[in-house]
């Protein structure tokens, strides 16, 4: 199927070729809280090769140690749409709220829950980790 999404103003749009709705997780870390201004970020892991983006994208590179996060924003409304990371080649991390069908997403995992705003209640049957999740366990949780 082809999923679509875009920024707040609609200037940046994307298409995503996927078999099913993307795997989605919530990150409660302080960086995500500050970047979003919200309690947590909700992200969809997708193959970068399946993502086709049109419109005025601005790139912002953030280097941490030996890795670089390459953030993509709309030049007009500054909404953050997705990023890639040199540590995870081939994977794009789409801000799940930019998907047109975001109301259908299921959040499969929560990470950095030590930093979660205390009013946020995580369902008991959804895997969670107090900080970063071990990659293999995390991917297994996302796949359900
Ligand atoms: Zn925009
Ligand atoms: Zn985070």
């Amino acid at each position: 199927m082809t999923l679509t999404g875009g920024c707040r103003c609609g200037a940046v749009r994307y298409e995503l070729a996927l078999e099913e709705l993307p795997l989605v997780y919530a990150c409660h870390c302080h960086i995500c809280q500050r970047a979003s201004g919200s309690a947590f970020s909700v992200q969809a892991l997708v193959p970068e090769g399946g993502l086709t983006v049109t419109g005025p994208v601005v790139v912002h590179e953030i280097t941490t140690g030996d890795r670089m996060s390459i953030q993509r924003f709309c030049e007009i409304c500054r909404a953050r749409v997705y990023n890639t990371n040199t540590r995870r080649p081939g994977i794009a991390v789409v801000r799940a709220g930019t998907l047109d069908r975001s109301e259908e997403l299921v959040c499969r995992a929560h990470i950095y829950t030590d930093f979660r705003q205390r009013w946020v209640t995580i369902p008991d049957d959804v895997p969670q980790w107090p900080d970063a999740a071990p990659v293999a366990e995390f991917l297994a949780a996302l796949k359900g």
Side-chain angles (χ1 to χ4, degrees), residues 7-11 74 77:
C7 68
R8 177 176 174 171
C9 79
C74 169
C77 72

Side-chain angles (χ1 to χ4, degrees), residues 27-29 31-32 41 43 112:
C27 182
H28 298 258
C29 83
I31 290 172
C32 286
S41 65
Q43 335 240 46
Y112 286 96

Side-chain angles (χ1 to χ4, degrees), residues 1 18-28 40-45 96 102 104-113 122-129 133-144:
M1 71 169 124
L18 286 177
E19 301 289 311
E20 53 192 18
L21 286 171
L23 305 170
V24 170
Y25 68 94
C27 182
H28 298 258
F40 50 84
S41 65
V42 185
Q43 335 240 46
L45 291 181
S102 59
E104 296 174 48
L105 298 170
V106 177
C107 185
R108 309 274 198 140
H110 292 258
I111 59 173
Y112 286 96
T113 57
I122 298 171
D124 288 338
D125 58 347
V126 178
Q128 56 177 288
W129 288 269
V135 174
E137 278 181 48
F138 179 64
L139 290 177
L142 282 184
K143 286 172 182 151

Side-chain angles (χ1 to χ4, degrees), residues 17-141:
L18 286 177
E19 301 289 311
E20 53 192 18
L21 286 171
L23 305 170
V24 170
Y25 68 94
C27 182
H28 298 258
C29 83
H30 278 163
I31 290 172
C32 286
Q33 292 197 39
R34 288 170 185 146
S36 66
S38 187
F40 50 84
S41 65
V42 185
Q43 335 240 46
L45 291 181
V46 303
E48 189 178 7
L51 185 60
T52 308
V53 184
T54 57
V57 172
V58 173
V59 171
H60 178 54
E61 297 175 344
I62 303 168
T63 300
T64 309
D66 61 352
R67 61 197 160 98
M68 184 192 292
S69 172
I70 303 139
Q71 303 279 337
R72 274 82 162 187
F73 296 81
C74 169
E75 183 175 26
I76 296 167
C77 72
R78 302 289 163 169
R80 192 167 65 134
V81 179
Y82 76 104
N83 73 283
T84 53
N85 193 302
T86 53
R87 198 171 54 167
R88 293 184 300 266
I91 302 288
V93 185
V94 173
R95 306 301 146 216
T98 67
L99 280 161
D100 292 338
R101 293 168 58 186
S102 59
E103 70 275 15
E104 296 174 48
L105 298 170
V106 177
C107 185
R108 309 274 198 140
H110 292 258
I111 59 173
Y112 286 96
T113 57
D114 271 358
F115 302 94
R116 109 185 175 280
Q117 294 186 18
R118 292 305 182 234
W119 57 269
V120 175
T121 304
I122 298 171
D124 288 338
D125 58 347
V126 178
Q128 56 177 288
W129 288 269
D131 49 24
V135 174
E137 278 181 48
F138 179 64
L139 290 177

